[in-house]
Amino acid sequence: DAISLEYRNSIPIIWIHISCPANYIDLDTPLDLEARRKASTIYMTTSTETMFPRELILSKLSISTQNKVPAISLGVQINEKGEIIDYEIINSFVKSSFKLNYQEADELIDLAPKEDPNLYILSTLLSKRRNWRKKNGSIDFPRNTSRIIIQNNKLSLFFLDESKSRKLVEEAMILMGTVISDYSIKNHITIPFRCHDKVNDNNQSIEYNDIYQNYKKRFSLRKSYVSIKPSPHSTLGLISYVQCTSPIR
């Protein structure tokens, strides 16, 4: 939901924040039961069906520039190789300094203005982390995606290109799941781990169609599965992983 940068003794700390609805919504209340029934937010062409009421999401649950919102915050220090050196997990209250769309974030990363280089620095740090995962066997799929939208009462196909800011967000989410997984294992917390068995990626023909290669590679993978016993997530290049995100949208 938000990302920030802190320096301690000239050492950069990556902070990743996710909203924590549990501060407002108790277990087995009508709101909790309805969210569990829906299980996820459904994105449709003409509307979005959220797990919680939209009014509650906007007024209380979403990290914004208006109010401080309860959150779970993760601070991570990584080295030049992209390895995790240290981390801390805290309950926090977060208020966003400003909100950016992906295009604005890409411009800040590319320009790296002297008055505010934080996004560029975060992108650089998380790129090191991505490279570390690649060296540990992760499979990096092109993230070019498409979305159906309505323009002038007609359906149109809109393409979303892969960008530095989208990679930054993706890597921050993976880093969050990696650390929460490690913390749960070390503290004997039962949690649903996301696992993916190793695949044989040697049998690849040389093709000049990236879309086709991407399709072939995706369908050659085994299905991921959920287990309370930690196992590697080979596609991400991790010894364990858990999906850790806010359920508000």
Side-chain angles (χ1 to χ4, degrees):
D1 294 320
I3 190 167
S4 57
L5 183 68
E6 177 191 8
Y7 280 92
R8 295 179 184 172
N9 299 320
S10 300
I11 298 173
I13 308 296
I14 302 168
W15 280 98
I16 306 163
H17 316 275
I18 61 171
S19 173
C20 187
N23 284 59
Y24 291 107
I25 301 167
D26 293 329
L27 186 66
D28 291 331
T29 58
L31 281 172
D32 173 52
L33 293 174
E34 178 65 7
R36 278 194 271 165
R37 184 187 70 83
K38 292 180 176 178
S40 66
T41 295
I42 301 174
Y43 295 93
M44 296 174 283
T45 304
T46 56
S47 63
T48 300
E49 184 68 26
T50 56
M51 293 174 64
F52 297 112
R54 185 173 297 275
E55 295 78 9
L56 181 63
I57 291 174
L58 296 176
S59 64
K60 295 291 186 181
L61 304 183
S62 295
I63 295 177
S64 68
T65 57
Q66 304 300 316
N67 302 302
K68 290 184 177 181
V69 175
I72 296 175
S73 295
L74 164 69
V76 189
Q77 177 189 346
I78 63 174
N79 61 16
E80 287 296 317
K81 296 179 180 179
E83 300 168 320
I84 297 173
I85 300 301
D86 196 13
Y87 65 79
E88 60 181 303
I89 304 169
I90 62 172
N91 291 317
S92 62
F93 283 87
V94 176
K95 180 181 179 181
S96 179
S97 299
F98 50 87
K99 188 175 181 179
L100 299 171
N101 59 37
Y102 284 112
Q103 183 177 352
E104 292 168 337
D106 283 329
E107 290 176 359
L108 280 176
I109 292 172
D110 289 334
L111 296 174
K114 292 182 179 180
E115 60 273 16
D116 191 4
N118 286 357
L119 207 57
Y120 167 77
I121 296 170
L122 285 167
S123 178
T124 302
L125 291 170
L126 289 168
S127 291
K128 293 176 181 178
R129 180 63 186 171
R130 180 185 291 267
N131 291 334
W132 178 88
R133 290 194 302 105
K134 285 182 180 179
K135 291 179 181 178
N136 284 273
S138 72
I139 301 176
D140 195 10
F141 293 103
R143 295 297 178 182
N144 298 44
T145 57
S146 59
R147 181 181 300 167
I148 297 175
I149 61 175
I150 295 180
Q151 290 181 325
N152 300 322
N153 294 322
K154 292 182 179 180
L155 291 177
S156 300
L157 188 61
F158 178 72
F159 290 95
L160 301 172
D161 293 329
E162 194 172 39
S163 68
K164 291 180 181 178
S165 60
R166 291 182 187 276
K167 286 183 177 181
L168 182 155
V169 172
E170 180 186 67
E171 199 60 41
M173 292 173 65
I174 294 174
L175 182 57
M176 183 79 168
T178 305
V179 171
I180 295 297
S181 172
D182 182 74
Y183 179 86
S184 299
I185 293 170
K186 289 179 178 178
N187 290 276
H188 309 289
I189 300 172
T190 302
I191 199 167
F193 296 94
R194 177 72 67 175
C195 314
H196 203 166
D197 293 336
K198 190 173 182 179
V199 300
N200 183 3
D201 199 38
N202 295 326
N203 187 22
Q204 291 190 25
S205 60
I206 299 175
E207 302 284 350
Y208 296 97
N209 188 322
D210 290 339
I211 296 176
Y212 175 64
Q213 276 287 65
N214 189 25
Y215 172 86
K216 255 184 31 173
K217 186 177 287 188
R218 283 180 182 276
F219 275 82
S220 70
L221 298 176
R222 299 172 184 173
K223 288 185 177 181
S224 62
Y225 60 94
V226 175
S227 173
I228 59 172
K229 180 181 178 181
S231 294
H233 195 301
S234 61
T235 310
L236 296 179
L238 301 171
I239 59 173
S240 67
Y241 177 73
V242 64
Q243 189 172 0
C244 180
T245 184
S246 172
I248 62 174
R249 60 177 60 84

